[in-house]
Amino acid sequence: MTEELKYQIVAGVIDYAEKQGISQNEVAQMSKVNAGYVSAMFNNKFTTDVAGKASPIGDKWFYKIAEWAGLVVRKQYWATLPTPQFKETLHLCETSKKMQKVTTIINDSGLGKTYALDKFIREHPQHTYRVVASKEHRLPDILRELCEKIMITNGGSNANKIRHISMRIKELSRSGFKPIIIIDEAENLDMRALQLMKALYDGVVGYAGLVLIGTTQLTRSLAKLKNKDRQGMPQLYRRIKAGIRHINPVPDFNIFYSKYGIDRPLVKLLDSLCENYGELHDYLEPVLREADEQEVAITEDLFRLVHDMPKY
């Protein structure tokens, strides 16, 4: 990475932070770049002191902080395009934040949910708290992550953590902010973690947006637990039911075909292979890269060559 590019990245990050009202410490916390590195960068110094010696800050940290600020510093072969699913997911998050309401977004895999959330968070970095759930996430893990993001240092028990989170959210709301909590991949939540959603709802309702995002597995699990009358599940389902929104699961590839100038034979082949935008990316992105490197057109023949997919 050239020194000129480093200066450009730092200037872009500083401009972004100033526009969003984000301090240096918050930049470090949100971007997950060492606070000492951020301080040096903001002073246009690209080394830090290690045992009395100047040590260069690795290029990866410049790339990391640039990505956090939404700066494009490396060649991109795949663009984030405003598909119907992207726009609807973004709109629902915006509405939840603005209206301080609870929304459950049901969006199948591969329909651009992550791109939409990344854009939303870049546009609203302050007081947007996103936790990505996994099968390994249990109630204490989710609470710990939320406390770290909201900067609660000692929450105590699970019940106290929820109380501290609620108090902090209410404090932010009363100070004129519009906080929002996003639980991503919520279909991975177990019953205890889902019970947390009820307690969290009760603590922040009217003071923050609360968004659950998951696949249809989430609504199936909630309905099943409600019908079995598991503790707290009928009450949770009642609270979120009016805010459940299903994103159209049918992708529209034409916006990508138009962007990249895909001809009819390759369009037909891609339509037969891909069920969602994620799969379209996996098939098409390496072909875009190869076409650029060879300085050739994107054709069905090139596609088949890249993917070792002969016609016969």
Side-chain angles (χ1 to χ4, degrees), residues 57-95:
I57 299 172
D59 290 355
K60 69 177 182 179
W61 300 112
F62 287 92
Y63 285 123
K64 188 175 182 67
I65 202 168
E67 181 181 8
W68 167 76
L71 305 177
V72 179
V73 296
R74 289 193 264 203
K75 191 163 190 177
Q76 292 184 320
Y77 292 94
W78 189 258
T80 299
L81 300 178
T83 66
Q85 292 82 5
F86 176 94
K87 290 191 289 186
E88 188 173 0
T89 301
L90 196 59
H91 169 73
L92 289 170
C93 289
E94 294 278 2
T95 302

Side-chain angles (χ1 to χ4, degrees), residues 37-49:
Y37 293 172
V38 173
S39 178
M41 289 175 181
F42 273 47
N43 286 287
N44 283 322
K45 295 178 181 178
F46 305 144
T47 62
T48 56
D49 185 75

Side-chain angles (χ1 to χ4, degrees), residues 160-175:
N160 277 336
K161 283 186 176 74
I162 293 172
R163 185 168 61 84
H164 286 304
I165 290 168
S166 300
M167 289 171 59
R168 176 60 176 155
I169 290 296
K170 289 174 181 177
E171 177 187 330
L172 290 169
S173 179
R174 288 165 181 157
S175 298

Side-chain angles (χ1 to χ4, degrees), residues 77-79 110 115 253 256 260 270 274 276-289 303 307:
Y77 292 94
W78 189 258
Y115 290 106
F253 296 150
F256 292 94
Y260 298 115
L270 287 167
C274 305
N276 54 57
Y277 302 121
E279 292 179 0
L280 183 69
H281 164 272
D282 294 344
Y283 274 112
L284 197 50
E285 194 270 347
V287 181
L288 298 173
R289 188 182 299 274
F303 179 92
H307 290 288

Side-chain angles (χ1 to χ4, degrees), residues 176-195:
F177 296 106
K178 295 279 189 180
I180 182 170
I181 296 171
I182 300 172
I183 308 298
D184 193 6
E185 299 188 16
E187 71 273 11
N188 291 319
L189 299 175
D190 64 12
M191 191 178 75
R192 287 201 68 211
L194 285 170
Q195 289 169 336

